[in-house]
Amino acid sequence: MNNIIIEENKEISSELYNSYIKQGKKLIINSKAENTRKAYFSDWKEFSDWCKMNKVASLPAEPETVVAYLSYLFAENKRPSTIARKKSTISQAHATAGYDSPTTAKIVTDTMKGIKRELGIMRNKKNPILAEDIQHFCEKKDDIRDLRDCALLLIGFSGAFRRSELVSLNIEDVRFTREGIRVILRKSKTDQEGAGMEKGIAYGSNPDTCPVRILQDWIEAAQIKEGALFRQINKYGQVSKKRLASSHSVARIVKEYVQKIGLPAGEYSGHSLRAGFATEASANGASLDDIMRQTGHRSVEMVREYIRKQNLFKNNASAKLGL
């Protein structure tokens, strides 16, 4: 392999180039969630392979190279959020390797603005699941699978858990108290150091949808003494010791139950539980501080986004037009 030109009048050997590639690939940002790191690794490989194919340097990359790559992604009909994430990956790789990021150059930021304008910046946000939806979900608990799913949905909703957090819970993380349950979250997307946080989930007024009682019923029915809280169940109704396969299992369960009550499954996801908590809590008078304490959000604006959509028709001026 020929030497590769990295900067004007500078050449590096293929060996050194490959070491740079490896260094960039690491992106080893242990502060990031596992799924985020996987996405970054994949994104960096794609970018470095594209650069190699086009005989340009990936690390450090020129702003013009990044512009060309973003334009390529645009031509491939990638979503704006996907393109933005890949741009972020390039920035992270350069920071990790000790280089200034080419993504801050004006030609790159202008390119991103153009892409967003062309493709539209409206986020494809999923609908929140509301309390009445959960009530419908849990109307019938004909078998142990229904019981597990109802417990999972209720805990996910009332605890404002992320999908990955629900899957990671162990029975040892749950403590039943007079007021409800205390759930220790040992690690999350915003707590990669594992400092942990504790969430409280109070008793509900309806025994059929009380997250505390239903979780207790599931634990007793599945005879869970240790290990994973939400487990796989085979087609014969036998409960495994293995936890749900991945966070996608939560999304699948949400979509399945949404469909059962006649809602469009494509408009909901595992994140709808968390969004639903913020929406319902706000509608019932909870303060932003209290909501954020449960969700673990650090950004007030992010929580407001959940609430804003649901409040679109509350005090809406169009209702006062006399039509």
Side-chain angles (χ1 to χ4, degrees), residues 28-30 32-42 192:
I28 15 179
I29 317 179
N30 286 328
K32 301 290 182 185
E34 184 181 354
N35 287 343
T36 304
R37 291 202 306 272
K38 284 178 181 176
Y40 277 2
F41 277 121
S42 174
Q192 290 301 300

Side-chain angles (χ1 to χ4, degrees), residues 229-278:
L229 184 60
F230 295 114
R231 303 181 173 198
Q232 298 177 35
I233 300 173
N234 68 19
K235 61 182 179 181
Y236 304 109
Q238 297 168 322
V239 180
S240 167
K241 289 185 177 181
K242 294 180 181 177
R243 69 183 70 247
L244 290 173
S246 72
S247 60
H248 296 298
S249 303
V250 178
R252 177 184 53 75
I253 290 168
V254 167
K255 287 178 180 292
E256 181 183 325
Y257 280 83
V258 158
Q259 211 160 15
K260 279 183 181 180
I261 64 171
L263 295 172
E267 294 182 11
Y268 293 84
S269 71
H271 192 70
S272 295
L273 293 170
R274 189 168 158 81
F277 167 85

Side-chain angles (χ1 to χ4, degrees), residues 95-110:
T96 301
Y99 294 110
D100 291 335
S101 173
T103 64
T104 58
K106 190 173 187 303
I107 58 170
V108 177
T109 56
D110 285 350

Side-chain angles (χ1 to χ4, degrees), residues 86-105:
K86 290 177 185 294
K87 180 176 79 73
S88 175
T89 295
I90 295 168
S91 178
Q92 293 281 358
H94 280 72
T96 301
Y99 294 110
D100 291 335
S101 173
T103 64
T104 58

